[in-house]
Amino acid sequence: MYIVDTHTHFFDSAFNQDRKETVLRAIDANVKKMVLPCCSENSLEGIEHLCKMFQENCFPTLGLHPEDIKIEDFENQLKQIFDYQFSKPIVAIGEIGIDLHYMKDTLKIQKKVFEKQVEKAIEKQLPIIIHCREAYKEIFEILDNFKNQVSGIFHCFSSNKNDAEKILNDYENFYFGIGGVVTFKKSGAEVAEIVKDILPLNKIVLETDSPYLAPVPMRGKRNESSFINFVVNKIAELKNLDTCKIIETTTLNAEKIFKI
């Protein structure tokens, strides 16, 4: 069974010098399918280029990331993004959400943009990929209005046990994106505990968020999809399961969500 990286930004400028080689390295590492989450209108051409070059491996999404919202012009941004036509069908609406780490003063606009995109996902019958940073309460307030109408992934889940249990109990069509953070000794300790004790394997999908959040022992380097095997190994250790079981179940989860 091959691996699905449900979240990789191979179109990022960090890969300008060796993009094709890095994707090929991922494929050689058994990462046969990669979902490319759109962040803004500036992501579109890069995603399209990769999806054409690697038609069997790369899958596009459409979405406006909270950090990329132009406060005075977000309506035009959304129109430009959602009017775009890739050469293959999109598999999700994302990366969308709320980020209060740096941008507490734009919460009102972030909530409005997130809600509009959730509605777009429901209209198109697509899952959402949620970026949530220090904003689980705010995300939940909006999702509670759309219970059972939308599915998706909490990308880079990094909250506490209460939030994990809330998602499991209240949003049955949602999954947890687990990546390099689970391997971090200090900052990832709580996530590792949640993966070990709370999350059933049938609610986990694998991701890298490359070029960010490289797993141990690659931490501090540019992340890439081939590194996802370190995440597989860590989850297998936490769950006391064979790596083949981790790969098989998480891949089936990803295929179910994205219909790929």
Side-chain angles (χ1 to χ4, degrees), residues 98-104 107 131-139 156 158-159 163:
I98 299 174
D99 191 314
L100 297 182
H101 185 71
Y102 296 117
M103 306 179 300
K104 291 181 174 64
L107 175 59
H131 172 100
C132 182
R133 195 172 185 194
E134 299 174 19
Y136 282 86
K137 174 178 172 287
E138 291 75 11
I139 291 284
C156 192
S158 56
S159 192
D163 286 342

Side-chain angles (χ1 to χ4, degrees), residues 131 147 185:
H131 172 100
K147 276 188 180 177
K185 190 169 183 180

Side-chain angles (χ1 to χ4, degrees), residues 3 23-32 225-229:
I3 298 171
V23 176
L24 288 171
R25 190 156 54 242
I27 295 168
D28 286 343
N30 197 34
V31 188
K32 304 296 187 186
S225 290
S226 62
F227 295 171
I228 206 166
N229 286 285

Side-chain angles (χ1 to χ4, degrees), residues 55-164:
Q55 293 184 29
E56 300 300 316
N57 310 103
C58 292
F59 298 85
T61 77
L62 288 174
L64 179 57
H65 190 292
E67 290 184 8
D68 290 291
I69 296 170
K70 296 174 183 174
I71 304 303
E72 305 298 328
D73 200 35
F74 69 86
E75 294 280 8
N76 283 330
Q77 277 187 291
L78 289 172
K79 185 177 189 311
Q80 186 175 344
I81 290 166
F82 287 104
D83 281 352
Y84 193 86
Q85 296 292 318
F86 288 114
S87 55
K88 60 195 296 186
I90 63 171
V91 298
I93 302 299
E95 172 179 357
I96 66 175
I98 299 174
D99 191 314
L100 297 182
H101 185 71
Y102 296 117
M103 306 179 300
K104 291 181 174 64
D105 57 332
T106 63
L107 175 59
K108 186 175 179 181
I109 295 296
Q110 288 191 62
K111 288 172 73 173
K112 185 173 183 179
V113 172
F114 177 56
E115 189 165 10
K116 280 178 174 288
Q117 294 184 95
V118 172
E119 289 170 347
K120 179 69 73 172
I122 293 169
E123 173 194 325
K124 291 184 172 293
Q125 296 185 299
L126 289 169
I128 58 176
I129 300 171
I130 297 177
H131 172 100
C132 182
R133 195 172 185 194
E134 299 174 19
Y136 282 86
K137 174 178 172 287
E138 291 75 11
I139 291 284
F140 292 156
E141 286 173 357
I142 292 172
L143 286 185
D144 282 345
N145 296 322
F146 300 101
K147 276 188 180 177
N148 302 318
Q149 296 181 62
V150 65
S151 62
I153 296 169
F154 278 86
H155 152 59
C156 192
F157 178 80
S158 56
S159 192
N160 54 46
K161 291 182 179 180
N162 288 339
D163 286 342

